[in-house]
């Protein structure tokens, strides 16, 4: 079997030395280092390249490849992007949204809110632990599009700066119920164009003119993927997953299965934007906030039906969304 060097969404025939792979990597991702930093980055790259080649030789349901995070170790990646498990900090009893006990069955066998125009472009949270804000804003954007027919980008920075409802700006946050409650209690949320370029810290909140409001939010019953399917059939849904498996750092495509070795101690907030079936494997389509070089253009697919990575453990979405 001929191996490939996967850089972002591009594959190159292998036969390259590790040094030539490194050179191609730096060019592709516009990486520049001081000498001391490059030595550490190259060491991490070598190990990640080994992991990628070994995994892809197994011909599993998903592939790994190089992305803008291939030059850091797994330990460094975890410290930057993953929080302590939310399930330790916040149990189901603490969720305050209206529990969706009677969600009707989903009307469609598959749905993709991206193709329906209800999802904004993929963002990159960088070294800020604000995945919770990206997830909540994305769910609000989808609901706003469905309710009004207009797709707007709402301010992630406003949530970071202003919402102290159990969240912590760039220091990480809890489930999106808290962000939805803040929007409801504070007269709405502003667009990204109206509120941007802020510091990303709690306490730096400033005034702006809200463009959207919600009257409530709904929690999907914990662990119930049928209920989650029904919810996603109506709107994009904010969810938490456990991304504490190295496949998440290097994932490049396909359906992540139970073999991804993630558990259900959720520590990363994302946005479920659809579901479908690929090669007889049911999956969720999920929007991440790690940039477009990661995964399938910033998205990933996760096996559906086994609560893989805890995707159905803390799912919620806004209701009564409308323009101001």
């Amino acid at each position: 079997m001929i191996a490939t060097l996967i850089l972002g969404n591009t594959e190159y025939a292998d036969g390259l030395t590790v040094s030539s792979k490194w050179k191609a990597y730096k060019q592709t991702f516009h990486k520049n280092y001081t000498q001391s930093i490059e030595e550490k980055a190259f060491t991490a790259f070598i190990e990640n390249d080994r992991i990628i080649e070994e995994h892809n030789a197994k011909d599993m349901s998903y592939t790994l490849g190089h992305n803008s995070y291939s030059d850091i170790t797994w330990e460094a990646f975890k410290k930057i992007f993953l929080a302590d498990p939310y399930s330790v900090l916040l149990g189901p009893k603490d969720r305050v949204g209206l529990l969706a006990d009677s969600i009707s069955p989903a009307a469609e066998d598959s749905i993709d809110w991206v193709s329906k125009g209800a999802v904004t472009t993929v963002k990159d949270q960088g070294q800020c632990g604000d995945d919770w804000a990206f997830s909540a804003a994305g769910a609000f954007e989808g609901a706003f599009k469905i309710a009004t027919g207009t797709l707007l980008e709402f301010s992630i920075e406003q949530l970071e700066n202003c919402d102290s409802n159990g969240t912590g700006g760039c220091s990480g946050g809890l489930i999106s119920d808290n962000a939805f409650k803040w929007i409801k209690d504070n007269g709405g949320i502003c667009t990204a164009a109206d509120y941007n370029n802020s510091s990303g810290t709690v306490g730096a909140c400033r005034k702006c003119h809200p463009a959207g409001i919600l009257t409530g939010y709904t929690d999907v019953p914990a662990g119930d993927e049928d209920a989650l399917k029904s919810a996603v059939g109506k709107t994009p849904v904010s969810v938490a997953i456990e991304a504490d498996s190295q496949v998440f750092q290097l994932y490049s495509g396909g359906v992540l299965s139970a073999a991804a070795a993630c558990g259900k101690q959720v520590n990363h907030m994302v946005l479920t934007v659809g579901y479908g079936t690929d090669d007889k494997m049911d999956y969720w389509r999920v929007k991440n906030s790690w940039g477009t070089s990661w995964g399938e253009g910033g998205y990933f697919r996760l096996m559906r039906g086994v609560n893989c990575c805890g995707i159905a453990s803390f799912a919620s979405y806004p209701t009564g969304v409308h323009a101001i």
Side-chain angles (χ1 to χ4, degrees):
M1 182 178 71
I2 298 176
T4 57
L5 171 62
I6 304 175
L7 293 176
N9 300 316
T10 304
E11 293 187 359
Y12 299 88
D14 208 347
L16 302 173
T17 65
V18 175
S19 294
S20 57
K21 288 181 179 181
W22 177 239
K23 181 178 180 181
Y25 174 80
K26 290 190 292 182
Q27 291 175 341
T28 299
F29 295 105
H30 308 291
K31 298 279 188 173
N32 294 291
Y33 310 92
T34 63
Q35 183 176 348
S36 60
I37 293 177
E38 179 157 2
E39 289 174 358
K40 294 179 180 179
F42 184 42
T43 298
F45 179 86
I46 291 171
E47 174 61 11
N48 288 329
D49 188 64
R50 181 192 65 78
I51 291 169
I52 290 167
E53 287 200 353
E54 287 187 358
H55 171 84
N56 290 346
K58 298 175 183 177
D59 194 26
M60 298 177 69
S61 62
Y62 61 95
T63 58
L64 304 184
H66 288 293
N67 54 46
S68 59
Y69 311 119
S70 298
D71 58 350
I72 59 176
T73 65
W74 168 235
E75 292 302 319
F77 184 88
K78 285 194 295 184
K79 288 180 181 179
I80 295 170
F81 294 106
L82 303 179
D84 293 328
Y86 296 138
S87 53
V88 173
L89 302 173
L90 182 68
K93 66 180 182 299
D94 300 308
R95 302 177 72 193
V96 294
L98 176 65
L99 192 63
D101 290 315
S102 59
I103 298 178
S104 59
E108 301 180 59
D109 292 332
S110 65
I111 195 165
D112 184 351
W113 288 111
V114 179
S115 64
K116 288 179 175 290
V119 182
T120 61
T121 57
V122 171
K123 313 299 191 301
D124 189 343
Q125 69 185 75
Q127 296 192 27
C128 177
D130 55 354
D131 50 299
W132 62 272
F134 284 93
S135 179
F140 187 89
E141 289 164 350
F144 189 89
K145 164 65 176 179
I146 293 166
T148 69
T150 301
L151 181 64
L152 293 177
E153 290 193 359
F154 285 91
S155 180
I156 293 160
E157 289 87 351
Q158 186 183 19
L159 292 176
E160 291 172 355
N161 291 173
C162 304
D163 175 15
S164 58
N165 233 349
T167 56
C170 277
S171 299
L174 301 179
I175 61 174
S176 292
D177 282 16
N178 298 294
F180 298 149
K181 184 178 188 301
W182 184 88
I183 296 170
K184 177 177 180 289
D185 293 347
N186 289 274
I189 183 172
C190 300
T191 65
D194 191 23
Y195 193 116
N196 57 19
N197 297 324
S198 58
S199 64
T201 58
V202 172
C205 187
R206 60 181 175 81
K207 292 184 181 292
C208 57
H209 300 286
I213 189 65
L214 59 83
T215 59
Y217 45 96
T218 297
D219 294 331
V220 177
D224 188 339
E225 284 191 89
D226 288 335
L228 180 57
K229 181 181 177 184
S230 295
V232 177
K234 298 188 296 185
T235 186
V237 175
S238 173
V239 296
I241 61 168
E242 180 177 342
D244 197 6
S245 172
Q246 193 164 16
V247 298
F248 277 95
Q249 180 183 359
L250 303 171
Y251 168 82
S252 66
V255 180
L256 286 166
S257 65
C262 58
K264 296 178 175 61
Q265 298 295 307
V266 297
N267 56 5
H268 182 54
M269 296 295 300
V270 288
L271 182 69
T272 303
V273 296
Y275 55 82
T277 302
D278 184 11
D279 291 332
K280 297 182 180 181
M281 183 180 288
D282 294 337
Y283 66 83
W284 300 106
R285 190 181 186 203
V286 187
K287 181 186 181 184
N288 205 348
S289 53
W290 294 345
T292 57
S293 82
W294 183 89
E296 297 178 328
Y299 295 85
F300 66 101
R301 285 175 291 160
L302 195 64
M303 179 186 284
R304 179 162 52 93
V306 294
N307 196 18
C308 193
C309 301
I311 191 170
S313 299
F314 291 94
S316 59
Y317 57 94
T319 57
V321 172
H322 59 84
I324 296 177

